[in-house]
Amino acid sequence: MALSMLASIPNLIIHTRLPIIIKSSSCKASSPGIKFMIGNSNCEEIIVRRTANYQPTIWDYDYVQSLRSDYVGETYTRRLDKLKRYVKPMLGKVKKPLDQLELIDVLQRLGIYYHFKDEIKRILNSIYNQYNQHEEWKKDDLYATALAFRLLRQHGYDVPQGVAV
């Protein structure tokens, strides 16, 4: 019976898959593998799994180490510091809470928010302290409420879900 079960497996599966044999004490058949009985007490389950015949990667260690960035050096570091000094006052000049939240959202989407963590934390603290007050900037504005909720939650503030708009 076991030979007939093994003979029924297509040749393609045998060549592209590796069998794994697991010995078990019970002989109950299950659908994922093929079980057959050896003697009276032992059963073996052959689980047929696909092999991964992946091609070797072209990104070997030496190639990755040889990659260099053009944006490294003293000139780019000075330009980065200049741009950071330019943006930091922008965070302080914006007075409307919705504009502050939109600026924080833009900085996050650009992936440069970590340069301004202290300023962002200060802004979100002030918004969080006034969050439950019914303010005009978020009254009847689903966008403003959702943006405030998302940014405050992302930064670890405990904002309730059931806040009415």
Side-chain angles (χ1 to χ4, degrees):
M1 178 175 167
L3 291 175
S4 65
M5 290 176 75
L6 288 175
S8 67
I9 299 174
N11 288 337
L12 180 65
I13 294 174
I14 291 174
H15 291 298
T16 61
R17 297 175 184 228
L18 294 175
I20 297 174
I21 299 174
I22 301 173
K23 292 189 177 187
S24 63
S25 59
S26 64
C27 294
K28 296 179 182 175
S30 63
S31 59
I34 302 168
K35 292 187 176 185
F36 57 93
M37 190 161 184
I38 300 175
N40 289 336
S41 61
N42 292 334
C43 286
E44 289 184 358
E45 180 180 0
I46 299 176
I47 301 172
V48 181
R49 296 191 178 161
R50 296 177 65 159
T51 60
N53 294 324
Y54 297 117
Q55 298 295 323
T57 180
I58 61 167
W59 299 94
D60 64 342
Y61 181 76
D62 294 329
Y63 181 71
V64 172
Q65 293 301 316
S66 70
L67 296 176
R68 298 287 180 241
S69 174
D70 294 335
Y71 301 104
V72 177
E74 185 64 32
T75 57
Y76 292 105
T77 306
R78 279 184 283 161
R79 177 139 170 86
L80 173 67
D81 291 337
K82 179 182 172 187
L83 291 173
K84 283 172 37 176
R85 284 192 310 268
Y86 177 72
V87 173
K88 281 186 182 185
M90 288 174 62
L91 288 167
K93 287 180 184 177
V94 178
K95 297 298 178 193
K96 294 181 182 177
L98 181 58
D99 293 338
Q100 290 175 333
L101 290 172
E102 286 177 338
L103 185 57
I104 292 171
D105 188 39
V106 167
L107 291 174
Q108 282 185 347
R109 290 174 188 261
L110 289 173
I112 57 174
Y113 68 95
Y114 60 91
H115 292 289
F116 312 102
K117 282 186 178 181
D118 296 332
E119 291 81 9
I120 290 174
K121 187 174 183 176
R122 182 185 48 79
I123 292 169
L124 291 176
N125 272 333
S126 67
I127 291 173
Y128 178 71
N129 291 334
Q130 301 169 358
Y131 189 76
N132 288 329
Q133 299 172 2
H134 296 288
E135 297 182 21
E136 292 297 320
W137 66 271
K138 65 178 180 176
K139 185 178 180 184
D140 299 327
D141 189 1
L142 183 60
Y143 169 73
T145 305
L147 184 62
F149 178 79
R150 179 176 61 84
L151 288 175
L152 288 171
R153 277 284 180 101
Q154 279 180 346
H155 288 271
Y157 293 94
D158 185 27
V159 180
Q161 295 178 16
V163 175
V165 178

